[in-house]
Amino acid sequence: MYIILVYQGGENMNKIQTTCNYCSLACNMDFYVEDNKIKKVIPTEKYPVNKGFSCIKGLNLDKQLTSGDFPKNPLLKTENGREEISWERAYSFFSDKLKAIVEKHGKESVACISTGQLALEEMALVGHVFRNFVGGQLDGNTRLCMATSVVAHKQSFGFDAPPYTLNDLELSDTIIFTGANPVVAHPIIWDRVRKNKNKKVIVIDVRCSETAKNADYFFCIKPKSDIVLYYTIANYLIENNWIDNNYIEKYSENFDAFKEHVSKFSIDDIEEKVGITKDEFLTLAKLIHEGVAVSFWWTMGINQSYQAVRTAQSIINLAVMTGNMGRPGTGANSITGQCNAMGSRLFSNTTGLYGGGEYTDEAKRKIVGDALGLDPAIFPTKPTLPYNVIIEKIITGEIKALWILCTNPRHSWTNNTQFAEAIEKLDLFVVQDLYPNTDSSELADLFLPVVSGIEKEGTLINTERRISKLNPVIPKPEGSFSDFEVIYNVGKALGMGTLLDGWETPEAVFNKMVKVTKDTPCDMTGVSYKLLENGYGVQWPFKEGETLVDNERRLFENGEYYTPNKKVKFVFEDVAENPVPTNETYPYVLNTGRGTVGQWHTQTRTKEITYVNDSTSDNSYIYISKTLGEELGIESQDEVLVKSINGRSSKFLALTTDNLPHDVLYAPIHYIETNNLTLSIYDPYSKEPSYKYAPVSIEKI
Ligand SMILES: Nc1nc2c(c(=O)[nH]1)N[C@H]1C(S)=C(S)[C@@H](COP(=O)(O)OP(=O)(O)OC[C@H]3O[C@@H](n4cnc5c(=O)[nH]c(N)nc54)[C@H](O)[C@@H]3O)O[C@H]1N2
Ligand SMILES: Nc1nc2c(c(=O)[nH]1)N[C@H]1C(S)=C(S)[C@@H](COP(=O)(O)OP(=O)(O)OC[C@H]3O[C@@H](n4cnc5c(=O)[nH]c(N)nc54)[C@H](O)[C@@H]3O)O[C@H]1N2
Ligand code: SF4
Ligand SMILES: [Mo]
């Protein structure tokens, strides 16, 4: 629900279209501005993503205009607390210290963690400064979020390519959400689902989420049993010949081995291993079989696990074997989280070359070098150390400096107290954020303040591969800087000299990045700032010389994938044993995720939205089933102590609910107490944390 106050503006009223930089929909919003003051905000009516609708966060982007309330200058930690210093001093402090550390301990002793919430140009530039020039480690918070899908896509499709267009939600007759709660996390996705009058919605989750409540079918499974469920469905469909043999034969490889693998998964085990009845299983299998256009959507319930990549691929395998790929309303569709996670995956220069190639591919190094006017020798020769290893190496003392941009790991990192312990060991910790008072900013030796998304320029790539433009709605205050400018100036202070030639503006960097995509799956050579301005956004691929006929495009329509033989690969593995299961002392599973539509991650920005702040709890809270509450004598609003198998404990207010199974607790991620309890367990391939499963106990205080 939202209310728009219609304001009759004066003659000087300007309409500026820009992109919401919260979630991965990247909705467009029209800002009406007069005398540099925002008068009203209306979701862009013609924009193909949100079509005139938005959530409360997009309508309140202007609430992050905090520049007036906080110091515009950097803050340096001194013996007497934090001191405001000039930008010149900040840049020389930062560069001197970083260079000294590199000199003494080597390039690999410095690290940077970026995000999926900066503009593509900013990510590319930080990659140029920190990976190409400094030679340090650089990972992103996308590791906490999309790394699983990236690896799954690469191994199965041959490239990190989410295949769908959002319109598929309106064209699908059978929409299956696994480990995704779009009613809360992607309200525009849910809006698109509601516009589809001809659909059945199926939710597979470990609790009755807001989306499950609104679905036609809900299957409540045991935590992390998705892979067993999907392998068993595959086997059942094969046994009944409810598969698309033609599609499998023409467009896929490795099916026979997959068939052999899943033959071990019997419907007789479904109740014990997955927690649904045989009847429920048969209903689900039949729905998949009978659907003409079945689409499979997943998010963090799948990506965050100790066996996440193979679970995501168990979904991909099912879509492929039933021929639900490349046609309208189908697909194995991973939903992205942050506004520019897709941009960070392709252009951050962290796990591969700009535009999605391998660092070891000599031909690709030359192409990227030529496009950027750089000697390829400057590019890293191997992917960065992943986030978890960066933290581990800080703890062991091997990494001495850390620069983080646009992320708040003291709160969001798994087993987050370990992050605080790691920071203690650093010689240099630099935080670049809107706010000096986030849980991470407060620990910084040097804090670099920047302006918010509506005061800067760049591009974002959303969940359906749509590139859109971020435009400054109002000018930034005198003496304040954007991320792009700060990163550029850090590069300059470090002595990059001519290596920064041609990297001066976001548009120049965008044009460079577009060039490196030539003839790749994500070819964007036909995209320019001019094309994006006041437009509809453009989905990649879009090549130079092409004319945009359809602005809703899906991949793999011709059955050709990006693997060397153009076939999609069935990838699978034995089901892994849970490395840290529940036991007698820690008998319950702590599940974590989004709380409400209005709350964004660590709440730094959404706390500023009055409606959100007034309607959500200041205290951390945890949901517990009514039956378990009765057993343990816990009632709603009781204070409880939750102890984790990781050795730490947090206090919460308990809220009892009918929406949880007896043994599962649910805590929103928006409170720092939650990640105090999560584990340092990761998927072996993607290194994404297993955030949604921690054995815990709970008691009334
Ligand atoms: N309001 C709001 N919106 C957001 C965000 C936000 O912070 N606030 N964050 C954005 C970001 S970055 C992301 S990544 C997305 C996340 O979007 P979602 O992934 O949809 O959100 P989550 O709440 O993390 O998790 C989704 C569901 O996974 C379920 N789940 C947990 N374990 C399992 C399991 O083993 N199997 C199955 N099948 N389900 C399981 C949880 O119960 C939960 O209902 O949201 C984006 N949108
Ligand atoms: N237990 C548990 N933990 C989780 C998850 C979970 O499901 N369960 N989900 C994980 C996922 S999917 C994600 S994506 C992460 C998110 O984790 P974070 O990225 O740490 O969360 P945010 O609150 O989005 O942090 C963004 C920071 O950037 C700042 N900021 C905003 N705009 C700008 C800008 O333009 N420039 C700069 N420099 N700073 C800016 C904000 O003030 C904020 O401090 O959390 C992860 N943590
Ligand atoms: S749905 Fe996502 S992109 Fe759209 S307005 Fe809300 S937060 Fe912004
Ligand atoms: Mo995310």
Side-chain angles (χ1 to χ4, degrees):
M1 280 282 288
Y2 62 92
I3 300 166
I4 294 168
L5 298 175
V6 178
Y7 172 83
Q8 302 299 331
E11 277 176 14
N12 300 328
M13 186 102 104
N14 266 327
K15 184 179 98 172
I16 299 162
Q17 184 182 330
T18 190
T19 306
C20 172
N21 68 338
Y22 276 105
C23 90
S24 64
L25 272 309
C27 294
N28 268 215
M29 311 292 296
D30 293 337
F31 281 79
Y32 290 82
V33 180
E34 193 173 43
D35 299 330
N36 291 334
K37 294 222 162 42
I38 296 163
K39 298 294 182 180
K40 66 175 173 180
V41 187
I42 296 184
T44 309
E45 203 175 346
K46 62 175 187 194
Y47 201 67
V49 172
N50 54 313
K51 301 181 177 176
F53 185 71
S54 89
C55 80
I56 188 167
K57 300 187 292 299
L59 288 174
N60 286 281
L61 289 167
D62 58 328
K63 303 301 181 295
Q64 322 153 42
L65 293 174
T66 54
S67 332
D69 309 335
F70 290 113
K72 288 201 259 331
N73 283 321
L75 300 176
L76 184 70
K77 199 192 260 174
T78 68
E79 276 167 11
N80 312 315
R82 292 203 284 185
E83 202 179 280
E84 231 182 295
I85 59 170
S86 71
W87 279 98
E88 290 68 32
R89 191 160 158 226
Y91 292 130
S92 59
F93 171 84
F94 188 2
S95 60
D96 289 351
K97 198 109 199 210
L98 198 75
K99 283 193 285 195
I101 292 170
V102 169
E103 200 152 296
K104 190 156 172 215
H105 303 281
K107 295 191 282 199
E108 309 233 326
S109 70
V110 298
C112 176
I113 289 170
S114 169
T115 178
Q117 294 174 65
L118 285 179
L120 186 160
E121 297 77 356
E122 293 163 344
M123 288 169 184
L125 183 60
V126 82
H128 187 42
V129 173
F130 211 82
R131 285 282 273 156
N132 293 344
F133 182 68
V134 176
Q137 310 296 342
L138 164 62
D139 205 9
N141 71 355
T142 17
R143 182 74 66 177
L144 320 183
C145 181
M146 299 315 298
T148 290
S149 294
V150 173
V151 178
H153 290 157
K154 280 188 180 167
Q155 293 178 346
S156 300
F157 301 152
F159 195 79
D160 177 21
Y164 57 96
T165 187
L166 285 171
N167 209 32
D168 284 322
L169 290 160
E170 293 182 39
L171 301 173
S172 179
D173 57 44
T174 308
I175 304 174
I176 306 178
F177 289 111
T178 310
N181 186 15
V183 167
V184 165
H186 297 95
I188 295 304
I189 286 197
W190 190 249
D191 183 50
R192 301 293 292 264
V193 171
R194 283 173 48 192
K195 287 200 169 93
N196 178 343
K197 298 287 171 229
N198 226 339
K199 86 286 178 178
K200 295 187 183 98
V201 177
I202 297 155
V203 169
I204 300 168
D205 202 301
V206 301
R207 63 182 186 117
C208 186
S209 67
E210 290 77 356
T211 309
K213 269 186 218 154
N214 286 286
D216 301 298
Y217 298 86
F218 167 47
F219 300 95
C220 191
I221 63 168
K222 289 188 182 177
K224 302 301 147 214
S225 67
D226 308 75
I227 191 164
V228 176
L229 173 65
Y230 280 119
Y231 285 163
T232 314
I233 293 178
N235 187 31
Y236 186 78
L237 298 181
I238 293 168
E239 281 176 351
N240 285 282
N241 200 22
W242 286 354
I243 56 178
D244 188 334
N245 290 299
N246 183 41
Y247 195 90
I248 294 170
E249 195 165 317
K250 262 172 111 172
Y251 303 120
S252 77
E253 66 169 320
N254 213 22
F255 178 70
D256 288 341
F258 178 63
K259 183 174 163 183
E260 163 87 32
H261 169 75
V262 296
S263 66
K264 293 173 273 189
F265 293 83
S266 160
I267 179 170
D268 292 333
D269 299 332
I270 209 76
E271 194 145 357
E272 186 211 325
K273 295 203 166 137
V274 179
I276 59 173
T277 63
K278 268 192 198 178
D279 279 350
E280 285 179 297
F281 175 86
L282 293 175
T283 305
L284 177 57
K286 218 163 144 207
L287 281 164
I288 295 172
H289 169 56
E290 286 173 356
V292 177
V294 185
S295 56
F296 299 84
W297 307 81
W298 80 87
T299 320
M300 292 309 126
I302 295 298
N303 281 6
Q304 298 169 339
S305 163
Y306 54 85
Q307 194 176 22
V309 171
R310 294 292 176 258
T311 306
Q313 285 164 329
S314 74
I315 300 178
I316 295 175
N317 295 344
L318 212 53
V320 172
M321 65 189 269
T322 54
N324 280 300
M325 289 295 293
R327 286 185 293 115
T330 65
N333 303 333
S334 147
I335 307 169
T336 300
Q338 305 166 86
C339 57
N340 197 24
M342 189 79 239
S344 110
R345 283 146 71 171
L346 291 175
F347 295 102
S348 65
N349 201 25
T350 60
T351 54
L353 281 163
Y354 292 120
E358 302 297 323
Y359 285 124
T360 44
D361 180 344
E362 285 306 325
K364 178 79 191 183
R365 291 175 76 88
K366 182 164 177 345
I367 293 169
V368 176
D370 287 350
L372 301 182
L374 293 170
D375 179 345
I378 195 174
F379 302 129
T381 48
K382 54 179 195 272
T384 180
L385 291 176
Y387 203 138
N388 62 313
V389 181
I390 291 177
I391 305 301
E392 282 157 22
K393 285 191 184 273
I394 294 174
I395 291 170
T396 58
E398 289 160 85
I399 289 181
K400 305 276 185 197
L402 179 68
W403 176 21
I404 65 169
L405 307 93
C406 197
T407 185
N408 187 8
R410 171 62 188 91
H411 178 140
S412 62
W413 177 241
T414 195
N415 194 359
N416 66 16
T417 307
Q418 202 192 45
F419 185 86
E421 290 164 1
I423 296 311
E424 298 265 300
K425 305 251 175 159
L426 287 170
D427 291 347
L428 176 67
F429 180 42
V430 181
V431 178
Q432 184 164 321
D433 202 287
L434 305 183
Y435 304 98
N437 60 348
T438 74
D439 293 308
S440 303
S441 307
E442 281 181 342
L443 303 175
D445 297 311
L446 177 66
F447 171 73
L448 302 171
V450 287
V451 298
S452 76
I454 60 169
E455 294 154 284
K456 65 183 186 183
E457 182 166 50
T459 53
L460 308 173
I461 309 183
N462 84 349
T463 189
E464 45 156 9
R465 314 177 318 283
R466 190 178 300 275
I467 307 142
S468 66
K469 188 77 203 306
L470 198 59
N471 287 309
V473 169
I474 49 166
K476 55 186 163 52
E478 187 72 31
S480 338
F481 298 94
S482 67
D483 285 286
F484 190 92
E485 291 167 313
V486 173
I487 299 162
Y488 184 89
N489 287 330
V490 170
K492 224 164 91 177
L494 285 168
M496 285 179 76
T498 54
L499 279 175
L500 284 170
D501 288 354
W503 294 74
E504 290 85 359
T505 63
E507 186 166 9
V509 172
F510 182 80
N511 291 338
K512 278 181 188 293
M513 290 303 126
V514 163
K515 270 201 205 160
V516 308
T517 65
K518 190 169 165 33
D519 298 328
T520 68
C522 66
D523 195 322
M524 291 168 29
T525 47
V527 190
S528 64
Y529 268 22
K530 191 156 173 274
L531 182 71
L532 296 176
E533 219 67 67
N534 293 315
Y536 306 93
V538 181
Q539 287 167 300
W540 63 256
F542 185 63
K543 295 181 191 180
E544 198 171 10
E546 256 182 308
T547 328
L548 201 57
V549 183
D550 194 350
N551 210 1
E552 293 270 5
R553 288 175 296 133
R554 71 187 61 79
L555 303 178
F556 313 134
E557 285 188 313
N558 60 2
E560 287 185 3
Y561 291 80
Y562 303 122
T563 51
N565 64 6
K566 301 213 161 93
K567 292 188 171 192
V568 54
K569 187 164 183 187
F570 281 89
V571 187
F572 53 87
E573 203 167 292
D574 286 341
V575 174
E577 214 163 292
N578 185 341
V580 188
T582 52
N583 59 26
E584 254 173 49
T585 319
Y586 302 101
Y588 312 114
V589 176
L590 174 68
N591 172 19
T592 64
R594 278 71 201 157
T596 61
V597 172
Q599 289 169 298
W600 183 255
H601 297 153
T602 69
Q603 297 202 80
T604 63
R605 290 200 276 170
T606 48
K607 251 190 197 147
E608 301 217 48
I609 308 174
T610 316
Y611 315 106
V612 173
N613 212 18
D614 290 354
S615 63
T616 48
S617 167
D618 285 341
N619 298 311
S620 54
Y621 54 96
I622 191 164
Y623 288 101
I624 166 172
S625 76
K626 282 202 178 132
T627 53
L628 181 60
E630 275 162 24
E631 225 175 272
L632 302 177
I634 295 171
E635 288 176 18
S636 269
Q637 304 297 338
D638 279 349
E639 208 185 348
V640 290
L641 186 70
V642 179
K643 292 185 187 154
S644 164
I645 204 162
N646 77 357
R648 307 187 205 269
S649 53
S650 292
K651 283 183 192 165
F652 295 88
L653 281 184
L655 293 176
T656 62
T657 174
D658 289 326
N659 301 328
L660 279 171
H662 179 269
D663 293 342
V664 178
L665 308 172
Y666 185 75
I669 61 172
H670 313 296
Y671 303 88
I672 197 169
E673 288 82 354
T674 299
N675 271 326
N676 182 39
L677 306 175
T678 48
L679 311 184
S680 300
I681 297 283
Y682 313 91
D683 174 85
Y685 303 102
S686 69
K687 305 293 178 206
E688 180 157 340
S690 181
Y691 275 121
K692 286 179 162 44
Y693 192 107
V696 295
S697 66
I698 180 168
E699 65 198 61
K700 189 169 159 173
I701 295 177

